Amino acid sequence: MLLNLLKDDGAALSHADTHRTQRMARCFKLLQFLNRGHDQAGAAHPQRMPQCNCPPLAIDARGIILHPGCTITGVTGDDNAKDVALSDGTTISADTLMVATGRKPMTDGLGLEAVGIETDQSGAIPVDENSMTPVPSIYAIGDVTNRINLTPVAIAEGHVFADTIYGGMARLMDHRNVPSAVFSQPPIGSVGLTEEQARQDGFDPVIYASSFRAMKNTISGREEKTVMKLVVDQSSNKVIGAHMLGPDAPEIMQGLAIAIKAGATKADFDATMLS
Ligand SMILES: Cc1cc2nc3c(=O)[nH]c(=O)nc-3n(C[C@H](O)[C@H](O)[C@H](O)COP(=O)(O)OP(=O)(O)OC[C@H]3O[C@@H](n4cnc5c(N)ncnc54)[C@H](O)[C@@H]3O)c2cc1C
């Protein structure tokens, strides 16, 4: 959403599936997503989660074969059969190919250039911590700024903007500890820093990781495991990241987000009885 504070500038800126056969069980986009913003615990591969020492069963048990770091380089075939060439030199024969293209800010045609706002390569409108663009009278919030592209974030950014500019209650948007999810099967939920991000941010993180079979999988004999990982700041004992791959992970992480936002320590987590 673009918010134009000028009334008469003339710039025309207004408020602005799947695995059909055994031959096809590939999930490219999920991997790209994991590689981008989620803790590698979710990737469920021993080499990507050494602390957990867990078998690669969480996603693989579903028959999904991941190809980390690969892109599709070519597709040949017809409506009934396709050969999909990958950048690692392998070829997948499949009935169906599904491509998830991702999203980018749709800012073309808004007249931004006319008012001196240059978007970045993705089309995102640059803003500062107050959501102000380089043109001081023009603010931008939500997906067009390509910060954290989620509904509650866009709403919160708008709320902060309104409070600050119109409500006389100046405050800044806090983009930390926003939980996010990949609605894959099994799903992934995440909040706070990944292990890698924690190190980059100067923390000396202690990692608590676990993998286990949920009771329903134990009883039914399914091998699929749930994977969980906590990232804890060694000096303060605060939990600064939580990551989960397994049933209901998104909802569980939404609840944990409150504890992490409130600064709960690993001791607080340990002292909490769960049934
Ligand atoms: C398939 C999908 C699933 C998603 N699932 C989730 C989810 O589970 N949880 C979650 O939190 N988020 C989810 N999102 C993201 C969420 O939808 C966005 O982050 C959120 O809608 C951003 O709000 P926004 O106001 O910035 O943009 P939008 O909601 O896109 O609103 C922008 C509005 O501007 C209008 N517009 C565009 N150009 C012009 C113009 N020139 N003039 C006037 N109006 C214009 C559009 O029509 C639209 O109404 C999902 C998104 C997609 C695509």
Side-chain angles (χ1 to χ4, degrees), residues 162-215:
D163 280 354
T164 302
I165 302 299
Y166 298 115
M169 296 175 285
R171 60 193 179 98
L172 292 175
M173 174 74 190
D174 184 359
H175 287 95
R176 292 171 301 171
N177 297 318
V178 177
S180 62
V182 182
F183 294 104
S184 48
Q185 294 182 5
I188 298 168
S190 202
V191 58
L193 300 178
T194 65
E195 182 180 347
E196 294 80 5
Q197 287 168 343
R199 291 190 202 287
Q200 281 166 14
D201 286 4
F203 292 100
D204 182 15
V206 182
I207 306 302
Y208 297 87
S210 172
S211 74
F212 55 89
R213 274 204 296 170
M215 192 182 288

Side-chain angles (χ1 to χ4, degrees), residues 32 37 44 61 65 111 113 143 150 160 198 212 232 269:
Q32 282 179 7
I65 303 164
E113 317 77 29
D143 284 10
L150 293 169
V160 168
F212 55 89
V232 177
F269 275 57

Side-chain angles (χ1 to χ4, degrees), residues 23 25-26 49-50 64 79 89-90 109 113 116 121 126 177 182 217 221 226 238 257 259:
R23 292 189 290 157
R26 309 286 192 264
M49 194 179 180
I64 298 167
D79 283 350
T90 58
E113 317 77 29
Q121 266 190 324
N177 297 318
V182 182
N217 290 337
T226 291
K238 284 185 178 176

Side-chain angles (χ1 to χ4, degrees), residues 17-19 24 26 28-29 72 82 96-100:
D17 156 287
T18 48
H19 319 302
M24 187 62 182
R26 309 286 192 264
F28 298 99
K29 200 67 201 172
I72 296 174
K82 291 177 177 53
T96 301
L97 169 67
M98 184 182 74
V99 177

Side-chain angles (χ1 to χ4, degrees), residues 1 14-16 103 106 110 141-144 149-152 154 183:
M1 180 184 289
S14 56
H15 291 289
R103 293 184 285 148
M106 291 185 66
L110 291 177
I141 59 157
D143 284 10
V144 287
N149 299 333
L150 293 169
T151 299
F183 294 104

